[in-house]
């Protein structure tokens, strides 16, 4: 996959994501059949998580060295199955290999860069976000009110399409820089809104 800086400017993020998802379906039909239990919705969300890693800048201190992994984590019940692991296998972002880790409790999270909060965590979102406060961690979820509660990116379904909303204040508090290319495809939400 080309780094974000080499994507021709005439292509929008949405077009690039559709192309990537289409290529994955063609390149790995066995994986997609094996993941029939994973809904199309979560296959698309997995592709977004994979791509979010390319459009966010973390402080250098978040990586122990130039080759340390960029970790995409899932907290709670995993709605992605093996599809996310397949997407990131062998991929790098700015020299960092991508890996996926799964966590049952927020206390298990040590080194993580992108964290998806599963719907199974809906009754403790505030506690989780409070526990993660002060860390340079891109929090993502599809839970109602997630951005309002301090999460950074919330998936929403609008007219049958998956879109996302970004809480820039939360990203700033986490010391993350989100690419303008990603922000063009997002709906920006004001603090307290979702």
């Amino acid at each position: 996959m080309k780094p974000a800086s080499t994507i021709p400017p005439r292509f929008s993020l949405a077009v690039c994501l559709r192309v990537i998802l289409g290529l994955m379906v063609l390149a790995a039909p066995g994986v997609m059949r094996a993941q029939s239990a994973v809904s199309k919705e979560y296959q698309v969300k997995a592709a977004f998580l994979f791509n979010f890693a390319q459009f966010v800048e973390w402080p250098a201190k978040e990586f122990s060295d130039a080759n340390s992994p960029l970790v995409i984590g899932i907290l709670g019940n995993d709605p992605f199955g093996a599809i996310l692991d397949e997407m990131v296998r062998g991929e790098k972002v700015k020299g960092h290999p991508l890996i996926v880790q799964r966590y049952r409790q927020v206390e298990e999270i040590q080194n993580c860069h992108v964290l998806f909060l599963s719907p199974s965590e809906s009754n403790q979102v505030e506690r989780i976000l409070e526990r993660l406060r002060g860390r340079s961690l891109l929090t993502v979820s599809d839970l109602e009110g997630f951005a309002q509660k301090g999460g950074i990116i919330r998936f929403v379904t609008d007219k049958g399409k998956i879109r996302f909303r970004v809480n820039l204040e939360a990203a700033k508090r986490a010391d993350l820089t989100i690419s303008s290319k990603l922000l063009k495809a997002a709906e920006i939400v004001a603090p307290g809104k979702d």
Side-chain angles (χ1 to χ4, degrees):
M1 170 165 288
K2 293 181 178 180
S5 62
T6 62
I7 295 173
R10 69 180 182 276
F11 291 110
S12 70
L13 177 63
V15 170
C16 289
L17 290 173
R18 282 190 211 113
V19 169
I20 290 166
L21 189 58
L23 289 173
M24 289 185 315
V25 170
L26 293 174
V31 172
M32 296 305 269
R33 277 195 297 276
Q35 295 303 315
S36 59
V38 176
S39 71
K40 294 274 189 208
E41 173 187 356
Y42 280 99
Q43 290 174 18
V44 172
K45 289 176 181 178
F48 272 111
L49 287 175
F50 170 73
N51 282 286
F52 288 160
Q54 298 176 62
F55 291 95
V56 174
E57 292 283 334
W58 284 266
K61 66 181 172 63
E62 293 302 316
F63 298 96
S64 57
D65 61 57
N67 299 317
S68 61
L70 191 152
V71 178
I72 298 174
I74 302 162
L75 179 60
N77 296 337
D78 181 0
F80 302 105
I83 194 76
L84 186 57
D85 300 270
E86 291 298 321
M87 283 182 191
V88 305
R89 185 169 287 128
E91 296 291 342
K92 290 185 175 187
V93 171
K94 298 176 185 129
H96 300 284
L98 291 170
I99 63 169
V100 178
Q101 292 187 348
R102 290 159 178 86
Y103 310 102
R104 286 270 154 234
Q105 300 175 2
V106 69
E107 292 78 16
E108 297 172 9
I109 301 169
Q110 298 299 315
N111 183 32
C112 186
H113 302 91
V114 178
L115 180 67
F116 179 81
L117 276 71
S118 172
S120 66
E121 306 308 296
S122 63
N123 62 347
Q124 54 182 348
V125 172
E126 291 95 343
R127 182 185 79 80
I128 292 167
L129 292 173
E130 182 59 36
R131 183 77 186 224
L132 299 172
R133 188 176 301 267
R135 295 177 64 175
S136 294
L137 181 58
L138 182 71
T139 53
V140 183
S141 188
D142 49 15
L143 293 168
E144 184 83 25
F146 185 69
Q148 180 181 25
K149 294 172 183 173
I152 298 174
I153 297 179
R154 177 181 172 224
F155 289 120
V156 292
T157 303
D158 179 29
K159 299 177 185 172
K161 295 186 180 187
I162 297 171
R163 304 195 188 285
F164 55 96
R165 295 178 178 159
V166 175
N167 179 334
L168 283 177
E169 287 296 318
K172 185 177 179 181
R173 281 193 305 272
D175 199 19
L176 300 176
T177 303
I178 300 176
S179 165
S180 61
K181 292 177 184 177
L182 183 64
L183 294 177
K184 285 179 187 176
E187 177 186 338
I188 308 302
V189 295
K193 303 285 185 184
D194 193 48

